[in-house]
Amino acid sequence: MSDIQHDTHGASHQNLPATTEEPIANPGLPEHTWRPTDIDDKAAQRAERQVAAMFGLSSVFAILFLVAYFTLDVGDNWQTFGGYGASNLALGMTLGMALLLIGVGIIQWARKLMADHEMVEMRHPARSSDEDRAATLAALDAGVAESGITRRPLIRNSLLGSVTLLLAPAVVLFRDLGPTPSQAAAAGPNAGLENTIWKPDMRVVRDVIGTPIRASDLEVGDLVNAEPEAIFPTEENGYPEIEGVELHVAKSKAAVVVVRMDPDDVIPGEGRDNWSVDGIVCYSKICTHVGCPISLYERTTHHLLCPCHQSTFDLADSGRVVFGPAARHLPQLPLAVDAEGFLVAQSDFTEPVGPSYWTRDHKDIGDQGEAEL
């Protein structure tokens, strides 16, 4: 104890050994292999030029991105390559190449020119013991021998074939993600996002119960979730019965919100002067961001909020986006009043409902000048 106290107060270490034995034997390091750029100046200069060239090309692609951004309108030449627009194609390729070249240049720089240090970290061996490794290999060999897979090529080959063919169902299942908008539009008059079951003079009815909405029954500030009358077929209205998946698809695309505000607050868009009825406007209930249903209404500002990602639309101003990630306004349904005073649609939506997609503005169905990205 006296020796320890003496050492703590600064005495010499005469009682300690001159060297301390390492807890793990030093395995040593193999001879260092020098890179060509470490011993050849010309190789180093060549590598330097390669890295600089990649960084320079990255700058060129960044400039081309800016040129494309300011010279190509969103939607221009939308069938340039494989159905992709010139703007999307140019912006994606130039920005992608700019980032890729920077990454490749940095990797090349690190591999060939940065300092090449060898570092040693003291740790216990991570590998299993030779006995454990031998026992594991022996168990695997025994399992293979017992299965007879090496002696039965018919089983082996049929197994490999069945496992390989399992990839085919995985690929086919991608079809369940749904057709592209163009394919869906070709499938029928009500298919795709470009068309719904709304028709001229079809009544607007309350969702769930299906009762028609009389314009005089709505007060300023009211919001009603609604559907087309065809969703609720009866003998009186004469619409055909819709069932199953077709019914759910029709309801999801045709769902709307009906709002009444002071007529003086309504700012009609171009060509939409007669789309409202005494301050009553009707918009798609499906957010143009990722398709969430929306009905959170703030009556004093006439703003409709999507609860998913907070996209906000001004219903007094043609459904204009005022906040959030949505790129396009809410599609508006033209309204009118029939002889009995009930709200009816003048036509189907004049633009696709639901989430935005690249070729949306190029559908020959009306309003196509909405590229606001």
Side-chain angles (χ1 to χ4, degrees):
M1 177 65 71
S2 60
D3 289 343
I4 295 176
Q5 292 174 345
H6 179 72
D7 180 67
T8 304
H9 288 82
S12 63
H13 295 216
Q14 295 178 356
N15 295 330
L16 296 178
T19 59
T20 302
E21 184 179 355
E22 295 289 351
I24 302 172
N26 186 350
L29 291 175
E31 183 178 356
H32 180 71
T33 301
W34 294 100
R35 302 171 299 184
T37 52
D38 292 329
I39 57 178
D40 187 348
D41 289 339
K42 291 184 177 180
Q45 292 173 2
R46 186 163 55 249
E48 184 177 0
R49 289 193 296 268
Q50 292 172 353
V51 174
M54 292 178 190
F55 291 162
L57 285 174
S58 174
S59 301
V60 172
F61 278 106
I63 294 172
L64 291 176
F65 175 88
L66 298 177
V67 172
Y69 184 88
F70 289 106
T71 59
L72 296 176
D73 292 334
V74 174
D76 272 4
N77 305 321
W78 63 284
Q79 289 183 330
T80 299
F81 181 79
Y84 297 108
S87 175
N88 288 314
L89 197 61
L91 294 178
M93 289 186 65
T94 53
L95 182 59
M97 289 301 298
L99 295 173
L100 176 64
L101 286 167
I102 288 178
V104 174
I106 291 175
I107 293 173
Q108 186 79 338
W109 181 13
R111 288 180 64 250
K112 293 191 173 183
L113 296 174
M114 288 186 181
D116 185 20
H117 295 296
E118 293 178 341
M119 302 179 65
V120 177
E121 180 182 358
M122 299 299 295
R123 63 179 182 180
H124 294 282
R127 70 189 296 273
S128 302
S129 65
D130 292 337
E131 293 77 9
D132 290 341
R133 292 160 66 92
T136 301
L137 292 175
L140 291 174
D141 290 338
V144 171
E146 291 175 359
S147 69
I149 193 170
T150 58
R151 296 182 290 106
R152 304 182 188 279
L154 181 61
I155 293 179
R156 180 186 66 238
N157 296 337
S158 59
L159 173 62
L160 292 174
S162 63
V163 172
T164 302
L165 283 176
L166 277 177
L167 297 175
V171 174
V172 172
L173 287 175
F174 278 112
R175 296 186 60 188
D176 286 342
L177 295 177
T180 65
S182 299
Q183 293 170 334
N190 297 326
L193 299 176
E194 293 81 22
N195 302 283
T196 71
I197 63 173
W198 285 105
K199 302 293 182 185
D201 299 323
M202 183 178 289
R203 284 181 173 176
V204 183
V205 301
R206 299 176 187 272
D207 66 351
V208 182
I209 57 177
T211 56
I213 302 172
R214 196 183 298 274
S216 59
D217 291 340
L218 296 180
E219 298 182 357
V220 173
D222 284 350
L223 180 144
V224 178
N225 293 293
E227 292 279 2
E229 189 177 21
I231 296 293
F232 303 92
T234 62
E235 292 184 1
E236 290 76 16
N237 61 37
Y239 290 110
E241 189 75 23
I242 308 176
E243 297 179 344
V245 174
E246 184 181 358
L247 174 62
H248 290 295
V249 172
K251 291 175 67 175
S252 65
K253 293 193 302 179
V256 293
V257 290
V258 179
V259 173
R260 184 161 199 168
M261 61 187 74
D262 190 323
D264 293 335
D265 293 339
V266 178
I267 305 173
E270 183 178 354
R272 302 184 179 190
D273 294 327
N274 65 338
W275 284 22
S276 61
V277 177
D278 295 331
I280 302 174
V281 291
C282 182
Y283 290 93
S284 171
K285 186 182 174 69
I286 310 304
C287 180
T288 57
H289 178 219
V290 292
C292 297
I294 52 179
S295 60
L296 299 177
Y297 182 58
E298 209 291 306
R299 60 179 296 176
T300 58
T301 61
H302 312 305
H303 288 174
L304 193 67
L305 173 69
C306 176
C308 294
H309 305 98
Q310 286 69 59
S311 292
T312 307
F313 306 88
D314 187 354
L315 300 190
D317 190 6
S318 301
R320 178 176 59 88
V321 179
V322 295
F323 181 79
R328 291 176 172 86
H329 66 225
L330 280 179
Q332 184 175 0
L333 185 72
L335 288 182
V337 176
D338 64 12
E340 299 180 47
F342 292 108
L343 294 175
V344 298
Q346 296 185 33
S347 66
D348 193 2
F349 289 100
T350 60
E351 56 188 310
V353 300
S356 303
Y357 51 90
W358 287 342
T359 59
R360 171 174 171 160
D361 288 336
H362 303 282
K363 302 302 173 182
D364 188 20
I365 53 176
D367 186 6
Q368 300 188 12
E370 299 274 356
E372 300 173 359
L373 289 175

